[in-house]
């Protein structure tokens, strides 16, 4: 803040977002312009990792200049044209009830983008990484300057490479945040190695939060990050898998995660995270996974915003490593809510294609066999099936829709 000029705005073309909100804006002459569509975001060659996160009051200081739906809209802004100003949209608490058409298995993916009035923004998701004791020291560092914000000890600034040592019983709930675009946090006190211990998956995008959960009576390290970055960093498939299988997996995992996000998280709205990072939910490996499995990252980016729907709702796309030959009925296996009409796509009885390579008995015993069978889906990809055909083979009667 300068005495003679007040608080200066960011330079024209800066990508910004408000803390805790998913919408992305481009700054131009002191105003902010909402990038409404993912297509425009891609064609303008923007990167979510370069977005500067602003506090609510700082974001509010920028008047709303309009909505960018296409790259031409941004060109118009820079040429002085006035754009439409309209309210933002968020993920509805209850999905729209309109039933989308069922796409024939011979057709390519339903690529029609919903009109602006029906689009939603890519949200933020909170992932439980690990739990610790109240008196345990948790170490966090980053590749850029960052700040710790603690309920008991207030704020403290750290340089890039400097390590923060936080003990929850002394500091209370603590957030680790940075205004630097592309910041990567590392948690040296946490170890999650790959099979030969050559990589420790303890690096994360977004923000971190050490937070006590009254529901589970534990102190959790939570990673909050943009939804699509979470999908790109999932470790449920292999970098060597066929591309069509990788795309099918990305859409299934995106649908599964978004279902739980729209319904307050898998463990209820009173838990401090939406999903955890283990195979009980979805295996999440964080930033280091991107160099370890770049093909999976590319598959996630290629299908960004695509989900499966059934009865007008995002499908809870459970999947398994191996069905044993024929998929199980979700109602018979899980019971409870899976017996409602909303889960008609998980009635089971789908046979893996001929030539599917079965896994060992131990792996089969640990697999519930509901939804997409990974071994069967890989075989379908080998046979030349598209990711649309793979998904619609295992999830009966679903449609595939790009929602942002």
């Amino acid at each position: 803040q300068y005495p003679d000029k007040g608080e200066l705005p960011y330079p024209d073309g800066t990508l910004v977002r408000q803390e805790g909100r998913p919408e992305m804006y481009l700054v131009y002459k002191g105003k902010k312009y909402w990038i409404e569509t993912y297509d425009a975001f891609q064609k303008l060659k923007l990167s979510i990792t370069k977005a500067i996160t602003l506090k609510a009051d700082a974001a509010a200081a920028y008047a709303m200049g309009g909505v960018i739906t296409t790259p031409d809209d941004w060109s118009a802004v820079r040429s002085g044209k006035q754009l439409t100003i309209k309210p933002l949209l968020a993920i509805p608490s209850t999905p729209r009830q309109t039933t989308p058409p069922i796409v024939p298995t011979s057709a390519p993916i339903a690529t029609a983008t919903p009109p602006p009035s029906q689009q939603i923004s890519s949200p933020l998701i909170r992932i439980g990484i690990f739990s610790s004791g109240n008196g345990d020291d948790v170490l966090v560092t980053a590749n850029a300057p960052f700040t710790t914000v603690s309920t008991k000890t207030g704020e403290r600034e750290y340089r890039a490479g400097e390590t923060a040592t936080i003990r929850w019983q002394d500091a209370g709930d603590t957030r680790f945040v940075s205004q630097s675009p592309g910041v990567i946090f590392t948690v040296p006190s946490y170890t999650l190695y790959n099979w030969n211990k050559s990589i420790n998956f303890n690096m994360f995008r977004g923000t971190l939060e050490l937070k006590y959960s009254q529901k589970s009576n534990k102190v959790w390290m939570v990673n909050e990050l943009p939804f699509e970055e979470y999908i790109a960093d999932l470790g449920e498939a292999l970098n060597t898998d066929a591309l069509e299988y990788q795309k099918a997996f990305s859409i299934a995992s995106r649908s599964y995660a978004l279902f739980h996000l729209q319904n307050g998280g898998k463990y209820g709205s009173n838990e401090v995270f939406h999903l955890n990072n283990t195979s009980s939910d979805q295996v999440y490996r964080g930033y280091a996974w991107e160099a370890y499995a770049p093909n999976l990252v590319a598959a996630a980016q290629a299908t960004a915003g695509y989900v499966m729907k059934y009865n007008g709702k995002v499908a809870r796309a459970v999947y398994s490593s191996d069905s044993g030959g024929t998929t199980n009925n979700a109602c018979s296996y899980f019971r409870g809510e899976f017996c409602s009409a909303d889960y008609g796509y998980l009635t089971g009885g789908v046979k893996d294609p001929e030539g599917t390579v079965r896994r060992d008995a131990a792996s089969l015993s640990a697999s519930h066999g509901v939804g997409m069978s990974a071994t069967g889906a890989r075989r379908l990809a080998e046979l030349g099936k598209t990711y649309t055909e793979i998904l619609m083979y295992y999830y009966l009667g679903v449609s595939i829709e790009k929602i942002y």
Side-chain angles (χ1 to χ4, degrees), residues 21-24 34-43 67-71 73 86-96 98 110-123 258 262 304-307 309 314 401-404:
R21 295 288 303 175
E23 295 85 14
M24 294 288 172
W34 176 38
I35 307 167
E36 183 183 36
T37 66
Y38 183 76
D39 182 64
F41 195 89
Q42 278 190 312
K43 289 180 178 178
V67 177
I68 298 171
T69 305
T70 69
D73 291 336
K86 57 184 178 181
L88 305 183
L89 299 173
I91 290 182
S93 57
T94 55
R96 298 189 307 274
T98 54
T111 55
T113 301
S117 62
Q118 295 182 358
Q119 290 177 346
I120 61 177
S121 299
S122 174
L258 189 57
Q262 288 185 335
Y306 281 104
V307 296
K309 282 192 170 185
V314 174
E401 180 182 330
K402 184 175 176 65
I403 60 172
Y404 57 80

Short mmCIF file of all heavy atoms in Angstrom, two decimals, residues 21-24 34-43 67-71 73 86-96 98 110-123 258 262 304-307 309 314 401-404:
data_model
loop_
_atom_site.label_atom_id
_atom_site.label_comp_id
_atom_site.label_asym_id
_atom_site.label_seq_id
_atom_site.Cartn_x
_atom_site.Cartn_y
_atom_site.Cartn_z
N ARG A 21 -13.16 -19.98 -2.91
CA ARG A 21 -14.08 -19.99 -4.04
C ARG A 21 -13.39 -20.57 -5.27
O ARG A 21 -12.19 -20.39 -5.46
CB ARG A 21 -14.56 -18.57 -4.37
CG ARG A 21 -15.38 -17.92 -3.28
CD ARG A 21 -16.76 -18.53 -3.18
NE ARG A 21 -17.48 -18.44 -4.44
CZ ARG A 21 -18.68 -18.99 -4.68
NH1 ARG A 21 -19.25 -19.70 -3.73
NH2 ARG A 21 -19.27 -18.88 -5.84
N PRO A 22 -14.13 -21.28 -6.15
CA PRO A 22 -13.50 -21.90 -7.31
C PRO A 22 -13.39 -21.00 -8.54
O PRO A 22 -12.61 -21.28 -9.44
CB PRO A 22 -14.44 -23.07 -7.61
CG PRO A 22 -15.79 -22.58 -7.17
CD PRO A 22 -15.52 -21.72 -5.96
N GLU A 23 -14.19 -19.90 -8.61
CA GLU A 23 -14.21 -19.10 -9.84
C GLU A 23 -12.86 -18.45 -10.13
O GLU A 23 -12.18 -17.98 -9.21
CB GLU A 23 -15.29 -18.01 -9.76
CG GLU A 23 -16.71 -18.55 -9.69
CD GLU A 23 -17.11 -18.89 -8.28
OE1 GLU A 23 -16.44 -18.47 -7.33
OE2 GLU A 23 -18.12 -19.60 -8.12
N MET A 24 -12.50 -18.44 -11.41
CA MET A 24 -11.26 -17.81 -11.85
C MET A 24 -11.59 -16.52 -12.61
O MET A 24 -12.53 -16.48 -13.41
CB MET A 24 -10.48 -18.77 -12.76
CG MET A 24 -9.99 -20.01 -12.06
SD MET A 24 -8.63 -19.64 -10.94
CE MET A 24 -8.45 -21.21 -10.11
N TRP A 34 -14.90 -12.84 -15.08
CA TRP A 34 -15.05 -14.27 -14.77
C TRP A 34 -14.88 -15.11 -16.03
O TRP A 34 -15.55 -14.88 -17.03
CB TRP A 34 -16.43 -14.50 -14.14
CG TRP A 34 -16.73 -15.95 -13.85
CD1 TRP A 34 -15.88 -16.90 -13.39
CD2 TRP A 34 -18.00 -16.60 -14.00
NE1 TRP A 34 -16.52 -18.09 -13.24
CE2 TRP A 34 -17.83 -17.94 -13.60
CE3 TRP A 34 -19.27 -16.17 -14.40
CZ2 TRP A 34 -18.88 -18.87 -13.61
CZ3 TRP A 34 -20.30 -17.08 -14.40
CH2 TRP A 34 -20.11 -18.41 -14.02
N ILE A 35 -14.01 -16.11 -15.95
CA ILE A 35 -13.84 -17.06 -17.06
C ILE A 35 -14.86 -18.17 -16.83
O ILE A 35 -14.65 -19.08 -16.03
CB ILE A 35 -12.41 -17.63 -17.08
CG1 ILE A 35 -11.41 -16.48 -17.08
CG2 ILE A 35 -12.19 -18.49 -18.32
CD1 ILE A 35 -10.00 -16.90 -16.79
N GLU A 36 -15.95 -18.09 -17.57
CA GLU A 36 -17.10 -18.95 -17.27
C GLU A 36 -16.91 -20.39 -17.75
O GLU A 36 -17.38 -21.32 -17.11
CB GLU A 36 -18.35 -18.35 -17.93
CG GLU A 36 -19.62 -19.12 -17.63
CD GLU A 36 -20.83 -18.56 -18.36
OE1 GLU A 36 -20.66 -18.11 -19.50
OE2 GLU A 36 -21.92 -18.57 -17.78
N THR A 37 -16.24 -20.60 -18.88
CA THR A 37 -16.16 -21.93 -19.45
C THR A 37 -14.75 -22.49 -19.39
O THR A 37 -13.76 -21.76 -19.50
CB THR A 37 -16.62 -21.94 -20.92
OG1 THR A 37 -15.70 -21.17 -21.70
CG2 THR A 37 -18.02 -21.36 -21.06
N TYR A 38 -14.68 -23.81 -19.21
CA TYR A 38 -13.37 -24.47 -19.20
C TYR A 38 -12.73 -24.38 -20.59
O TYR A 38 -11.50 -24.27 -20.71
CB TYR A 38 -13.53 -25.94 -18.81
CG TYR A 38 -12.23 -26.68 -18.71
CD1 TYR A 38 -11.39 -26.49 -17.61
CD2 TYR A 38 -11.82 -27.55 -19.71
CE1 TYR A 38 -10.18 -27.15 -17.51
CE2 TYR A 38 -10.61 -28.22 -19.61
CZ TYR A 38 -9.80 -28.02 -18.51
OH TYR A 38 -8.60 -28.68 -18.42
N ASP A 39 -13.56 -24.39 -21.64
CA ASP A 39 -13.03 -24.28 -23.00
C ASP A 39 -12.28 -22.96 -23.19
O ASP A 39 -11.17 -22.93 -23.75
CB ASP A 39 -14.19 -24.38 -24.00
CG ASP A 39 -13.71 -24.33 -25.44
OD1 ASP A 39 -12.98 -25.24 -25.86
OD2 ASP A 39 -14.05 -23.36 -26.15
N ALA A 40 -12.85 -21.86 -22.70
CA ALA A 40 -12.18 -20.56 -22.80
C ALA A 40 -10.90 -20.56 -21.98
O ALA A 40 -9.87 -20.02 -22.40
CB ALA A 40 -13.12 -19.44 -22.33
N PHE A 41 -10.95 -21.17 -20.81
CA PHE A 41 -9.77 -21.25 -19.94
C PHE A 41 -8.62 -21.94 -20.67
O PHE A 41 -7.47 -21.50 -20.63
CB PHE A 41 -10.13 -22.00 -18.66
CG PHE A 41 -9.13 -21.85 -17.55
CD1 PHE A 41 -9.23 -20.82 -16.64
CD2 PHE A 41 -8.09 -22.75 -17.41
CE1 PHE A 41 -8.32 -20.68 -15.60
CE2 PHE A 41 -7.17 -22.63 -16.38
CZ PHE A 41 -7.29 -21.59 -15.48
N GLN A 42 -8.95 -23.06 -21.35
CA GLN A 42 -7.93 -23.82 -22.07
C GLN A 42 -7.40 -23.03 -23.27
O GLN A 42 -6.18 -22.95 -23.49
CB GLN A 42 -8.50 -25.14 -22.56
CG GLN A 42 -8.53 -26.24 -21.52
CD GLN A 42 -8.88 -27.57 -22.13
OE1 GLN A 42 -9.84 -27.69 -22.90
NE2 GLN A 42 -8.12 -28.59 -21.80
N LYS A 43 -8.30 -22.45 -24.07
CA LYS A 43 -7.89 -21.78 -25.30
C LYS A 43 -7.10 -20.51 -25.02
O LYS A 43 -6.29 -20.08 -25.86
CB LYS A 43 -9.11 -21.48 -26.17
CG LYS A 43 -9.71 -22.74 -26.80
CD LYS A 43 -10.92 -22.43 -27.67
CE LYS A 43 -11.44 -23.72 -28.31
NZ LYS A 43 -12.65 -23.46 -29.14
N VAL A 67 -18.33 -11.33 -18.13
CA VAL A 67 -18.14 -12.78 -18.20
C VAL A 67 -17.44 -13.15 -19.50
O VAL A 67 -17.85 -12.73 -20.58
CB VAL A 67 -19.49 -13.51 -18.10
CG1 VAL A 67 -19.30 -15.01 -18.24
CG2 VAL A 67 -20.16 -13.19 -16.77
N ILE A 68 -16.38 -13.94 -19.40
CA ILE A 68 -15.65 -14.42 -20.57
C ILE A 68 -16.10 -15.84 -20.85
O ILE A 68 -15.82 -16.76 -20.09
CB ILE A 68 -14.13 -14.37 -20.31
CG1 ILE A 68 -13.68 -12.94 -20.06
CG2 ILE A 68 -13.37 -14.98 -21.47
CD1 ILE A 68 -12.25 -12.82 -19.59
N THR A 69 -16.82 -16.01 -21.94
CA THR A 69 -17.30 -17.33 -22.35
C THR A 69 -16.43 -17.94 -23.43
O THR A 69 -16.27 -19.15 -23.52
CB THR A 69 -18.76 -17.24 -22.84
OG1 THR A 69 -19.56 -16.64 -21.81
CG2 THR A 69 -19.32 -18.61 -23.16
N THR A 70 -15.86 -17.07 -24.30
CA THR A 70 -14.98 -17.51 -25.38
C THR A 70 -13.73 -16.64 -25.38
O THR A 70 -13.72 -15.54 -24.81
CB THR A 70 -15.68 -17.39 -26.74
OG1 THR A 70 -15.85 -16.00 -27.06
CG2 THR A 70 -17.04 -18.08 -26.73
N PRO A 71 -12.65 -17.08 -26.05
CA PRO A 71 -11.46 -16.24 -26.15
C PRO A 71 -11.74 -14.89 -26.80
O PRO A 71 -11.09 -13.89 -26.48
CB PRO A 71 -10.51 -17.08 -27.01
CG PRO A 71 -10.93 -18.50 -26.75
CD PRO A 71 -12.42 -18.43 -26.62
N ASP A 73 -14.22 -13.03 -26.24
CA ASP A 73 -14.70 -12.11 -25.21
C ASP A 73 -13.52 -11.39 -24.54
O ASP A 73 -13.60 -10.20 -24.23
CB ASP A 73 -15.50 -12.86 -24.15
CG ASP A 73 -16.84 -13.36 -24.67
OD1 ASP A 73 -17.34 -12.77 -25.64
OD2 ASP A 73 -17.36 -14.34 -24.12
N LYS A 86 -23.36 -10.92 -15.09
CA LYS A 86 -24.42 -11.77 -14.55
C LYS A 86 -23.92 -12.49 -13.33
O LYS A 86 -22.72 -12.62 -13.10
CB LYS A 86 -24.92 -12.75 -15.61
CG LYS A 86 -23.83 -13.66 -16.19
CD LYS A 86 -24.43 -14.53 -17.28
CE LYS A 86 -23.40 -15.42 -17.93
NZ LYS A 86 -23.94 -16.25 -19.00
N PRO A 87 -24.82 -13.01 -12.50
CA PRO A 87 -24.40 -13.66 -11.25
C PRO A 87 -23.64 -14.96 -11.52
O PRO A 87 -23.84 -15.60 -12.55
CB PRO A 87 -25.72 -13.93 -10.53
CG PRO A 87 -26.74 -13.99 -11.61
CD PRO A 87 -26.29 -12.99 -12.63
N LEU A 88 -22.78 -15.34 -10.55
CA LEU A 88 -22.04 -16.57 -10.67
C LEU A 88 -22.90 -17.74 -10.25
O LEU A 88 -23.88 -17.61 -9.53
CB LEU A 88 -20.78 -16.52 -9.80
CG LEU A 88 -19.86 -15.33 -10.05
CD1 LEU A 88 -18.62 -15.46 -9.17
CD2 LEU A 88 -19.45 -15.27 -11.52
N LEU A 89 -22.47 -18.91 -10.69
CA LEU A 89 -23.17 -20.14 -10.33
C LEU A 89 -22.27 -20.99 -9.46
O LEU A 89 -21.06 -20.91 -9.54
CB LEU A 89 -23.54 -20.93 -11.59
CG LEU A 89 -24.47 -20.21 -12.57
CD1 LEU A 89 -24.60 -21.02 -13.83
CD2 LEU A 89 -25.83 -19.99 -11.95
N ALA A 90 -22.87 -21.81 -8.63
CA ALA A 90 -22.10 -22.76 -7.83
C ALA A 90 -22.74 -24.13 -7.97
O ALA A 90 -23.84 -24.26 -8.49
CB ALA A 90 -22.08 -22.33 -6.36
N ILE A 91 -22.07 -25.16 -7.49
CA ILE A 91 -22.66 -26.49 -7.53
C ILE A 91 -23.92 -26.49 -6.68
O ILE A 91 -23.87 -26.12 -5.52
CB ILE A 91 -21.67 -27.54 -7.01
CG1 ILE A 91 -20.53 -27.69 -8.02
CG2 ILE A 91 -22.33 -28.87 -6.77
CD1 ILE A 91 -19.53 -28.72 -7.65
N PRO A 92 -25.05 -26.89 -7.25
CA PRO A 92 -26.29 -26.88 -6.49
C PRO A 92 -26.26 -27.94 -5.40
O PRO A 92 -25.61 -28.96 -5.51
CB PRO A 92 -27.36 -27.21 -7.55
CG PRO A 92 -26.62 -27.95 -8.61
CD PRO A 92 -25.23 -27.39 -8.62
N SER A 93 -26.99 -27.66 -4.30
CA SER A 93 -27.04 -28.64 -3.21
C SER A 93 -27.79 -29.88 -3.63
O SER A 93 -27.54 -30.97 -3.13
CB SER A 93 -27.71 -28.01 -1.99
OG SER A 93 -29.01 -27.54 -2.32
N THR A 94 -28.73 -29.74 -4.56
CA THR A 94 -29.40 -30.90 -5.12
C THR A 94 -29.26 -30.82 -6.63
O THR A 94 -29.52 -29.79 -7.23
CB THR A 94 -30.90 -30.93 -4.76
OG1 THR A 94 -31.51 -29.69 -5.17
CG2 THR A 94 -31.08 -31.09 -3.27
N PRO A 95 -28.81 -31.93 -7.29
CA PRO A 95 -28.59 -31.89 -8.73
C PRO A 95 -29.87 -31.61 -9.49
O PRO A 95 -30.98 -31.82 -9.00
CB PRO A 95 -28.06 -33.30 -9.03
CG PRO A 95 -27.58 -33.83 -7.70
CD PRO A 95 -28.47 -33.20 -6.69
N ARG A 96 -29.71 -31.10 -10.72
CA ARG A 96 -30.86 -30.85 -11.56
C ARG A 96 -31.61 -32.14 -11.84
O ARG A 96 -31.03 -33.21 -11.97
CB ARG A 96 -30.41 -30.22 -12.89
CG ARG A 96 -29.73 -28.89 -12.71
CD ARG A 96 -29.52 -28.22 -14.06
NE ARG A 96 -28.84 -29.06 -15.00
CZ ARG A 96 -27.52 -29.17 -15.09
NH1 ARG A 96 -26.75 -28.50 -14.27
NH2 ARG A 96 -26.96 -29.95 -16.00
N THR A 98 -33.52 -32.83 -14.48
CA THR A 98 -33.74 -33.18 -15.87
C THR A 98 -32.94 -34.41 -16.24
O THR A 98 -31.77 -34.53 -15.90
CB THR A 98 -33.31 -32.02 -16.80
OG1 THR A 98 -31.96 -31.67 -16.48
CG2 THR A 98 -34.20 -30.81 -16.58
N ALA A 110 -20.78 -37.91 -25.47
CA ALA A 110 -21.70 -36.79 -25.66
C ALA A 110 -20.95 -35.50 -25.36
O ALA A 110 -20.77 -35.13 -24.21
CB ALA A 110 -22.90 -36.94 -24.72
N THR A 111 -20.52 -34.83 -26.40
CA THR A 111 -19.60 -33.71 -26.22
C THR A 111 -20.29 -32.37 -26.09
O THR A 111 -19.64 -31.35 -25.90
CB THR A 111 -18.63 -33.62 -27.41
OG1 THR A 111 -19.39 -33.55 -28.62
CG2 THR A 111 -17.74 -34.86 -27.46
N ALA A 112 -21.60 -32.33 -26.22
CA ALA A 112 -22.29 -31.04 -26.14
C ALA A 112 -22.09 -30.42 -24.77
O ALA A 112 -22.35 -31.05 -23.75
CB ALA A 112 -23.78 -31.24 -26.41
N THR A 113 -21.63 -29.18 -24.76
CA THR A 113 -21.44 -28.46 -23.50
C THR A 113 -22.76 -27.81 -23.11
O THR A 113 -23.44 -27.22 -23.94
CB THR A 113 -20.37 -27.37 -23.68
OG1 THR A 113 -19.17 -27.99 -24.09
CG2 THR A 113 -20.15 -26.62 -22.37
N PRO A 114 -23.19 -27.96 -21.84
CA PRO A 114 -24.45 -27.34 -21.43
C PRO A 114 -24.39 -25.84 -21.60
O PRO A 114 -23.32 -25.24 -21.54
CB PRO A 114 -24.55 -27.73 -19.95
CG PRO A 114 -23.16 -28.05 -19.53
CD PRO A 114 -22.48 -28.60 -20.74
N PRO A 115 -25.56 -25.21 -21.85
CA PRO A 115 -25.57 -23.75 -21.99
C PRO A 115 -25.08 -23.07 -20.74
O PRO A 115 -25.10 -23.67 -19.65
CB PRO A 115 -27.06 -23.45 -22.25
CG PRO A 115 -27.80 -24.63 -21.72
CD PRO A 115 -26.90 -25.80 -21.93
N PRO A 116 -24.61 -21.81 -20.84
CA PRO A 116 -24.06 -21.11 -19.66
C PRO A 116 -24.96 -21.13 -18.45
O PRO A 116 -24.49 -21.20 -17.32
CB PRO A 116 -23.84 -19.69 -20.19
CG PRO A 116 -23.62 -19.87 -21.65
CD PRO A 116 -24.53 -21.00 -22.06
N SER A 117 -26.27 -21.10 -18.66
CA SER A 117 -27.18 -21.06 -17.53
C SER A 117 -27.18 -22.36 -16.73
O SER A 117 -27.67 -22.41 -15.61
CB SER A 117 -28.61 -20.78 -18.02
OG SER A 117 -29.06 -21.81 -18.88
N GLN A 118 -26.64 -23.46 -17.32
CA GLN A 118 -26.64 -24.74 -16.64
C GLN A 118 -25.23 -25.18 -16.23
O GLN A 118 -25.06 -26.24 -15.65
CB GLN A 118 -27.26 -25.82 -17.54
CG GLN A 118 -28.74 -25.58 -17.82
CD GLN A 118 -29.34 -26.68 -18.66
OE1 GLN A 118 -28.65 -27.61 -19.08
NE2 GLN A 118 -30.61 -26.59 -18.94
N GLN A 119 -24.21 -24.42 -16.56
CA GLN A 119 -22.86 -24.81 -16.22
C GLN A 119 -22.57 -24.54 -14.75
O GLN A 119 -23.15 -23.67 -14.12
CB GLN A 119 -21.86 -24.05 -17.08
CG GLN A 119 -21.87 -24.49 -18.54
CD GLN A 119 -20.92 -23.66 -19.36
OE1 GLN A 119 -20.46 -22.62 -18.92
NE2 GLN A 119 -20.61 -24.12 -20.54
N ILE A 120 -21.65 -25.34 -14.20
CA ILE A 120 -21.17 -25.11 -12.85
C ILE A 120 -19.67 -24.97 -12.91
O ILE A 120 -19.04 -25.33 -13.90
CB ILE A 120 -21.58 -26.25 -11.90
CG1 ILE A 120 -20.97 -27.58 -12.36
CG2 ILE A 120 -23.08 -26.36 -11.79
CD1 ILE A 120 -21.25 -28.72 -11.43
N SER A 121 -19.08 -24.44 -11.86
CA SER A 121 -17.64 -24.23 -11.85
C SER A 121 -16.93 -25.42 -11.22
O SER A 121 -17.49 -26.13 -10.39
CB SER A 121 -17.31 -22.97 -11.04
OG SER A 121 -17.92 -21.84 -11.63
N SER A 122 -15.69 -25.64 -11.65
CA SER A 122 -14.87 -26.66 -11.02
C SER A 122 -14.63 -26.26 -9.57
O SER A 122 -14.13 -25.17 -9.30
CB SER A 122 -13.54 -26.78 -11.77
OG SER A 122 -12.68 -27.68 -11.09
N PRO A 123 -15.00 -27.11 -8.61
CA PRO A 123 -14.95 -26.71 -7.19
C PRO A 123 -13.60 -27.02 -6.54
O PRO A 123 -12.66 -27.51 -7.17
CB PRO A 123 -16.04 -27.58 -6.58
CG PRO A 123 -15.98 -28.84 -7.42
CD PRO A 123 -15.62 -28.41 -8.82
N LEU A 258 -17.11 -36.26 -7.27
CA LEU A 258 -18.07 -35.16 -7.34
C LEU A 258 -19.39 -35.55 -6.67
O LEU A 258 -20.05 -34.72 -6.04
CB LEU A 258 -18.30 -34.75 -8.79
CG LEU A 258 -19.14 -33.48 -8.99
CD1 LEU A 258 -18.51 -32.29 -8.25
CD2 LEU A 258 -19.27 -33.16 -10.48
N GLN A 262 -20.86 -33.20 -3.77
CA GLN A 262 -22.19 -32.60 -3.84
C GLN A 262 -23.08 -33.02 -2.68
O GLN A 262 -24.06 -32.34 -2.38
CB GLN A 262 -22.87 -32.98 -5.16
CG GLN A 262 -22.29 -32.30 -6.38
CD GLN A 262 -23.06 -32.62 -7.64
OE1 GLN A 262 -23.71 -33.66 -7.73
NE2 GLN A 262 -22.98 -31.75 -8.62
N ALA A 304 -11.35 -33.32 -18.65
CA ALA A 304 -11.73 -32.40 -17.58
C ALA A 304 -13.19 -31.98 -17.70
O ALA A 304 -13.66 -31.59 -18.78
CB ALA A 304 -10.83 -31.17 -17.60
N GLY A 305 -13.92 -32.07 -16.60
CA GLY A 305 -15.32 -31.63 -16.57
C GLY A 305 -16.32 -32.69 -16.96
O GLY A 305 -17.52 -32.49 -16.79
N TYR A 306 -15.87 -33.84 -17.48
CA TYR A 306 -16.80 -34.90 -17.90
C TYR A 306 -17.14 -35.81 -16.73
O TYR A 306 -16.25 -36.27 -16.00
CB TYR A 306 -16.20 -35.74 -19.04
CG TYR A 306 -16.29 -35.09 -20.39
CD1 TYR A 306 -15.17 -34.50 -20.98
CD2 TYR A 306 -17.50 -35.06 -21.09
CE1 TYR A 306 -15.26 -33.90 -22.22
CE2 TYR A 306 -17.59 -34.46 -22.33
CZ TYR A 306 -16.46 -33.87 -22.89
OH TYR A 306 -16.56 -33.28 -24.12
N VAL A 307 -18.43 -36.10 -16.56
CA VAL A 307 -18.89 -37.02 -15.53
C VAL A 307 -19.98 -37.91 -16.12
O VAL A 307 -20.54 -37.63 -17.18
CB VAL A 307 -19.46 -36.29 -14.29
CG1 VAL A 307 -18.38 -35.48 -13.60
CG2 VAL A 307 -20.66 -35.42 -14.67
N LYS A 309 -23.79 -39.48 -15.55
CA LYS A 309 -25.04 -39.15 -14.86
C LYS A 309 -26.05 -40.27 -15.04
O LYS A 309 -26.06 -40.98 -16.04
CB LYS A 309 -25.61 -37.84 -15.39
CG LYS A 309 -24.92 -36.59 -14.86
CD LYS A 309 -25.73 -35.35 -15.18
CE LYS A 309 -25.17 -34.14 -14.44
NZ LYS A 309 -26.02 -32.96 -14.66
N VAL A 314 -25.28 -36.88 -10.81
CA VAL A 314 -23.93 -37.42 -10.97
C VAL A 314 -23.87 -38.81 -10.36
O VAL A 314 -24.33 -39.03 -9.24
CB VAL A 314 -22.88 -36.50 -10.31
CG1 VAL A 314 -21.49 -37.13 -10.36
CG2 VAL A 314 -22.87 -35.14 -10.99
N GLU A 401 -21.64 -36.45 -19.61
CA GLU A 401 -21.90 -35.03 -19.83
C GLU A 401 -20.75 -34.18 -19.33
O GLU A 401 -20.17 -34.46 -18.28
CB GLU A 401 -23.19 -34.64 -19.09
CG GLU A 401 -23.57 -33.19 -19.23
CD GLU A 401 -24.84 -32.85 -18.46
OE1 GLU A 401 -25.70 -33.75 -18.29
OE2 GLU A 401 -24.95 -31.70 -17.99
N LYS A 402 -20.43 -33.16 -20.08
CA LYS A 402 -19.43 -32.17 -19.64
C LYS A 402 -20.16 -31.08 -18.87
O LYS A 402 -20.97 -30.36 -19.43
CB LYS A 402 -18.69 -31.57 -20.85
CG LYS A 402 -17.55 -30.62 -20.46
CD LYS A 402 -16.79 -30.18 -21.71
CE LYS A 402 -15.72 -29.16 -21.38
NZ LYS A 402 -14.64 -29.70 -20.52
N ILE A 403 -19.87 -30.97 -17.57
CA ILE A 403 -20.62 -30.03 -16.74
C ILE A 403 -19.86 -28.76 -16.42
O ILE A 403 -20.40 -27.82 -15.87
CB ILE A 403 -21.08 -30.71 -15.43
CG1 ILE A 403 -19.88 -31.19 -14.62
CG2 ILE A 403 -22.03 -31.85 -15.72
CD1 ILE A 403 -20.25 -31.69 -13.24
N TYR A 404 -18.58 -28.69 -16.76
CA TYR A 404 -17.82 -27.44 -16.65
C TYR A 404 -16.59 -27.51 -17.55
O TYR A 404 -16.25 -28.56 -18.05
CB TYR A 404 -17.40 -27.13 -15.21
CG TYR A 404 -16.57 -28.17 -14.53
CD1 TYR A 404 -15.19 -28.27 -14.76
CD2 TYR A 404 -17.16 -29.07 -13.62
CE1 TYR A 404 -14.44 -29.25 -14.11
CE2 TYR A 404 -16.40 -30.03 -12.98
CZ TYR A 404 -15.04 -30.12 -13.22
OH TYR A 404 -14.29 -31.07 -12.58
#
